[in-house]
Amino acid sequence: MSSHQEEANNKVPVTFSKALSREVVIDCVIETIMRMMLLSAGATAGQLMLSESGRLRVLARAESKPDIAVAFGAAIQGAPFVSTITQAVARSGHAVTLDTAAEAAQMFASPEPCNPLPSSVFCLPLLIKHRLVAVLYLENDHTEKAFPADKRAPIELLASQMALAIENACLSQILHDEDRQRYVTERQSSDLQFELTQASRITAIGELVSSIIHEMSQPLSAIDASSGAALRWLQRDAPDVDEATVSLEKVRTCTVRAKAIIDRLRELNRQSQIPFKSFDINAAVREVILVSRARIDKLGVNIAYEDASVEHPVFGNRVQVQQVIENLIANALEAMADTTDRARVIQISSAHSDSGVVISVSDSGPGIAPGWEDSVFRPFTTTKPQAMGMGLSICKRIVEAHGGTMWIEKIDPHGLRFSFTLEAT
Ligand SMILES: Nc1ncnc2c1ncn2[C@@H]1O[C@H](COP(=O)(O)OP(=O)(O)OP(=O)(O)O)[C@@H](O)[C@H]1O
Ligand SMILES: [Mg+2]
């Protein structure tokens, strides 16, 4: 592998994870997954299938020739072979790796003439809590053993995040389609533009929840206005029952609509239960450092991880906790980008305390302005021109969903320390 390719691969999980966590439009999610997966795996083609009522539907194919092109709703050539592999992966719930065309032929074993079989295949299920959401198929048509374990591992690590992103985007699409008409008629175009931009950025369930709460205000104000109108029609000297009935019909329509929004929210919440189990926080931190390594090295940051060799079992969702650590490292790196008069250092530690295990990420950057300690955890709070200001609010919500707390401390004379607790097991 060239060093250029190696560097690209190192960057992919972090960039990808970040990009994916901010996408909610289904086509953008699909495109992000296909591009990043082809790039990080060095695949020549790929296909993404959605699991719908036990069947697989093709979402898109991607080919690198040499620029990556994504075609929505189209299958790659050699469809019978791809279909055999993806069905097998969907049925078993386990990934399949084929290292040669001969292995592919053995697995395919079709009496029908077919296109030349690929030299390497990696096909994996995208699951949420053992439930199949989608299947990702990658192939390389000219290199054998193109998907060794070190290329597969980061992709497998991201599988559940991809599944969540696809599912959230599908739900969001339904929500968005249904509400689009109402938005168009009821809002000024500048408001609409703002809302659509916001909606397309809303990712995590919490943000989706906020947008649903926001939507609730529409039917509620309509109910307010229509019921007021009905009362006025009825309180006239000559009450107009017909007009009052029309207003009350509007009240009923809006009530049904508000109830539907609540039902969807309940369904969304039910589907997004994240599995918690015991895992070693130190191993999880080491993995995040590994995927952040290219950015750490690029900035010449010295990263120290205390207690790295000791096992600290904690209870929670490994991927979400890794998301928190990744965000804190990203913030520390961004904060130290302009630090030139002292060493750029990130220090991570994990230690037992009365409240469980405390994980801390410190840096030697400029710190924050006095009075900002609480604000940084609020959504859309940022000092960076291109950023959303969502990272820390998402982190805090994840930690609190784990029953933990998150806090911030200034380090004298320079830097900031973010700490959070997790339940020890
Ligand atoms: N380690 C740090 N040192 C100094 N300031 C920080 C640090 N971490 C966060 N901040 C401040 O807190 C703000 C909010 O951080 P947060 O991660 O929520 O958003 P962001 O990094 O600006 O954007 P995003 O994470 O959405 O890309 C940052 O813009 C920055 O001003
Ligand atoms: Mg951030």
Side-chain angles (χ1 to χ4, degrees):
M1 196 190 310
S2 72
S3 64
H4 177 70
Q5 179 68 46
E6 202 164 351
E7 195 192 343
N9 284 349
N10 284 341
K11 279 181 189 163
V12 163
V14 178
T15 320
F16 176 61
S17 181
K18 227 174 173 178
L20 201 56
S21 70
R22 281 163 194 184
E23 284 302 352
V24 78
V25 177
I26 186 67
D27 284 358
C28 299
V29 168
I30 294 171
E31 183 150 10
T32 305
I33 290 178
M34 297 311 283
R35 285 186 181 283
M36 291 291 190
M37 287 300 106
L38 254 68
L39 180 67
S40 66
T44 53
Q47 187 165 304
L48 188 62
M49 325 267 293
L50 182 70
S51 171
E52 278 179 335
S53 320
R55 289 167 162 255
L56 290 180
R57 175 164 71 86
V58 176
L59 287 178
R61 76 153 186 253
E63 289 168 316
S64 53
K65 35 180 190 175
D67 292 336
I68 296 171
V70 178
F72 294 98
I76 57 182
Q77 286 202 338
F81 170 71
V82 178
S83 167
T84 304
I85 300 277
T86 49
Q87 297 287 354
V89 167
R91 267 195 307 274
S92 69
H94 294 294
V96 166
T97 311
L98 303 172
D99 282 335
T100 61
E103 276 183 26
Q106 210 174 12
M107 174 136 186
F108 189 34
S110 165
E112 312 260 327
C114 61
N115 291 323
L117 293 174
S119 304
S120 302
V121 168
F122 176 42
C123 184
L124 83 161
L126 307 183
L127 305 165
I128 300 178
K129 213 179 180 181
H130 306 298
R131 183 170 50 80
L132 185 74
V133 173
V135 174
L136 176 66
Y137 168 92
L138 299 168
E139 68 172 39
N140 191 308
D141 60 9
H142 54 258
T143 308
E144 292 190 344
K145 297 183 181 165
F147 307 116
D150 62 335
K151 269 193 186 168
R152 297 195 309 264
I155 295 176
E156 282 169 336
L157 190 72
L158 291 162
S160 60
Q161 196 188 347
M162 290 192 263
L164 261 178
I166 292 170
E167 186 154 275
N168 284 348
C170 287
L171 286 165
S172 175
Q173 169 99 31
I174 294 167
L175 208 73
H176 197 269
D177 287 351
E178 287 181 4
D179 294 341
R180 191 179 169 81
Q181 193 55 39
R182 184 177 55 83
Y183 270 113
V184 170
T185 50
E186 286 181 7
R187 295 214 159 229
Q188 294 288 326
S189 66
S190 59
D191 276 357
L192 172 68
Q193 192 58 47
F194 176 71
E195 290 298 336
L196 291 178
T197 312
Q198 293 295 74
S200 72
R201 287 173 170 171
I202 290 165
T203 56
I205 295 297
E207 278 60 63
L208 207 48
V209 169
S210 322
S211 88
I212 292 166
I213 290 167
H214 174 79
E215 286 175 46
M216 284 292 292
S217 66
Q218 299 298 323
L220 283 177
S221 39
I223 288 169
D224 190 24
S226 299
S227 55
L231 273 177
R232 282 192 296 280
W233 286 118
L234 293 172
Q235 284 165 350
R236 284 161 67 131
D237 292 343
D240 191 329
V241 176
D242 286 347
E243 288 291 355
T245 307
V246 170
S247 295
L248 286 173
E249 278 299 337
K250 282 186 195 161
V251 171
R252 192 169 60 174
T253 309
C254 292
T255 311
V256 169
R257 185 174 152 62
K259 190 172 171 302
I261 292 171
I262 297 229
D263 286 347
R264 274 204 306 266
L265 178 57
R266 198 175 285 130
E267 174 67 6
L268 194 61
N269 194 36
R270 193 183 60 73
Q271 293 191 6
S272 62
Q273 298 295 320
I274 305 273
F276 279 27
K277 55 185 179 185
S278 180
F279 66 93
D280 175 21
I281 184 69
N282 285 342
V285 171
R286 280 198 300 275
E287 262 175 32
V288 180
I289 295 176
L290 202 67
V291 293
S292 310
R293 178 55 68 187
R295 283 182 308 159
I296 292 167
D297 291 348
K298 193 171 171 204
L299 279 174
V301 171
N302 186 353
I303 188 154
Y305 184 26
E306 295 160 15
D307 277 354
S309 54
V310 188
E311 272 203 12
H312 272 163
V314 293
F315 188 67
N317 181 272
R318 197 173 196 272
V319 175
Q320 284 200 327
V321 171
Q322 287 186 311
Q323 199 183 341
V324 173
I325 298 159
E326 199 276 319
N327 263 296
L328 296 181
I329 293 179
N331 277 349
L333 291 173
E334 285 157 9
M336 292 189 294
D338 295 330
T339 302
T340 48
D341 59 342
R342 55 185 178 272
R344 295 172 178 167
V345 180
I346 294 181
Q347 213 156 8
I348 306 180
S349 64
S350 53
H352 275 282
S353 79
D354 293 346
S355 48
V357 173
V358 181
I359 298 104
S360 297
V361 178
S362 323
D363 63 68
S364 59
I368 51 168
W372 255 62
E373 291 80 357
D374 291 331
S375 321
V376 290
F377 291 111
R378 287 195 201 118
F380 307 111
T381 302
T382 186
T383 50
K384 303 165 195 171
Q386 304 293 336
M388 279 276 290
M390 289 304 298
L392 288 174
S393 68
I394 291 172
C395 291
K396 192 155 190 273
R397 208 185 48 245
I398 290 176
V399 170
E400 286 173 353
H402 280 70
T405 48
M406 186 167 207
W407 67 96
I408 186 172
E409 291 159 285
K410 285 187 175 181
I411 301 174
D412 200 23
H414 302 292
L416 215 50
R417 178 182 303 115
F418 284 89
S419 303
F420 62 96
T421 52
L422 288 175
E423 188 186 328
T425 52

